[in-house]
Amino acid sequence: PASVLSRTGFVIMYAGCPIFWSSKLQTEIALSTTEAEYIALLSAMREVLPFLNMMKEIHDVFPLQETKPNFFCRVWEDNRSCINVAENPKFTPRTKHIALKYHHFRRFVTNRTIKINPIDTREQIADIFTKPLDEKQFVYLQKKLCGW
């Protein structure tokens, strides 16, 4: 490999349409796949949380419903260890090396503003940005991403 840095990729979708996507090398060396996935998850949350706040502000200015909707984000993660680190506030010997700066979004997971769901790696749309795929898998993920 040309670099020891992991590649982060994610897609933010709203109403089934991609509104933001990113693919870039991480700035720090991850010591495990779990850490690399966790850093990628945080990168996506840095983009999602301001969007959620904007949606809440729009509703406050233009209330279109009597009851205030519950704004939340559903995240699809294909690494179960990453999900465990995000949902469990305790440090373990295998995760204590992950920098504290990556844990700030845990409170959003705890209060269910962010809901992390497991997904099979073959269904992970963001993989189209991060790894080489065979033609069949590429076309499948392209259809999921674009809807055509």
Side-chain angles (χ1 to χ4, degrees), residues 122-124 128 135-145:
R122 293 179 300 259
E123 300 292 322
Q124 183 61 279
I128 203 167
E135 183 179 0
K136 181 180 175 185
Q137 183 67 11
F138 180 84
V139 170
Y140 175 73
L141 292 177
Q142 181 186 32
K143 286 181 181 177
K144 282 185 73 172
L145 177 64

Side-chain angles (χ1 to χ4, degrees), residues 83-103:
I83 295 171
N84 290 337
V85 171
E87 292 179 343
N88 188 354
K90 296 180 182 178
F91 291 101
T92 67
R94 292 181 177 226
T95 61
K96 66 182 179 181
H97 69 279
I98 298 174
L100 287 175
K101 68 181 179 180
Y102 297 119
H103 297 301

Side-chain angles (χ1 to χ4, degrees), residues 29-44:
I29 296 172
L31 301 179
S32 67
T33 304
T34 299
E35 184 178 5
E37 291 276 349
Y38 195 66
I39 293 169
L41 183 62
L42 174 71
S43 298

